[in-house]
């Protein structure tokens, strides 16, 4: 299956918006097939410079997480960040939302969740991502 073309990319939030869905966009080396997130300029495996856009899976497994209690100005604490394994060799750092931290467990299924990231009040948001627990019957 050919990847969809990213509609709106940001260096810090490599996502594409399609309808109400947000998908993470990484890069796949045209020579060796190495999948990388975020997409690099050159392949870290073979140093080839032909990197194609490649969508990442929307469901993954929580590798680990941390509850942040001291936030920078403009952020509301506490919040949860965690590493999510989306594919072999692809571990993504993101916010974990819509869950009580006491319910989190290593290796629990989570799914991609879209949101707007806003640098300052009144600014236009850019597409960003977070993860939410995957609910049985609703997620693959």
């Amino acid at each position: 299956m050919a990847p969809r073309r990213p509609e709106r990319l940001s260096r810090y939030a490599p996502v594409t918006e399609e309808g109400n869905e947000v998908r993470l966009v990484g890069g796949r080396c045209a020579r060796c097939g190495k999948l990388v997130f975020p997409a690099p300029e050159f392949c870290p495996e073979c140093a080839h410079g032909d990197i194609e856009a490649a969508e990442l899976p929307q469901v993954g497994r929580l590798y680990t997480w941390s509850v942040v209690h001291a936030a920078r100005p403009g952020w509301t604490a506490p919040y949860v960040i965690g590493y999510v394994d989306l594919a072999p060799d692809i571990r993504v750092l993101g916010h974990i939302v819509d869950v009580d931290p006491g319910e989190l467990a290593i290796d629990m299924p989570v799914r991609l969740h879209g949101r707007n990231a806003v640098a300052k009040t009144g600014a236009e948001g850019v597409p960003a991502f977070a993860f939410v627990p995957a609910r049985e019957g609703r997620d693959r």
Side-chain angles (χ1 to χ4, degrees):
M1 172 168 87
R4 293 184 188 100
R5 272 215 155 299
E7 295 173 1
R8 187 171 169 203
L9 293 179
S10 154
R11 181 175 177 185
Y12 303 105
V15 300
T16 179
E17 294 176 292
E18 188 148 318
N20 292 330
E21 288 189 4
V22 172
R23 297 184 180 266
L24 290 182
V25 179
R28 183 180 309 280
C29 177
R31 177 185 287 162
C32 73
K34 174 79 173 169
L35 183 62
V36 182
F37 179 82
E41 191 172 333
F42 295 95
C43 176
E45 191 75 25
C46 71
H48 191 62
D50 190 5
I51 307 295
E52 303 166 339
E55 284 187 6
L56 298 180
Q58 290 190 291
V59 177
R61 298 271 178 187
L62 185 60
Y63 176 76
T64 193
W65 74 94
S66 180
V67 179
V68 179
H69 293 279
R72 60 186 291 167
W75 288 67
T76 303
Y79 61 91
V80 179
I81 58 169
Y83 281 104
V84 173
D85 291 334
L86 289 177
D89 298 328
I90 301 291
R91 184 168 287 156
V92 177
L93 179 67
H95 288 260
I96 312 297
V97 298
D98 297 339
V99 64
D100 182 288
E103 297 175 23
L104 295 173
I106 289 174
D107 205 35
M108 77 181 288
V110 293
R111 71 176 168 79
L112 189 64
H113 175 73
R115 66 186 186 101
N116 276 334
V118 179
K120 59 186 175 186
T121 305
E124 180 183 341
V126 297
F129 63 92
F131 294 95
V132 296
R135 307 285 186 223
E136 237 180 89
R138 190 173 153 197
D139 302 300
R140 302 178 235 139

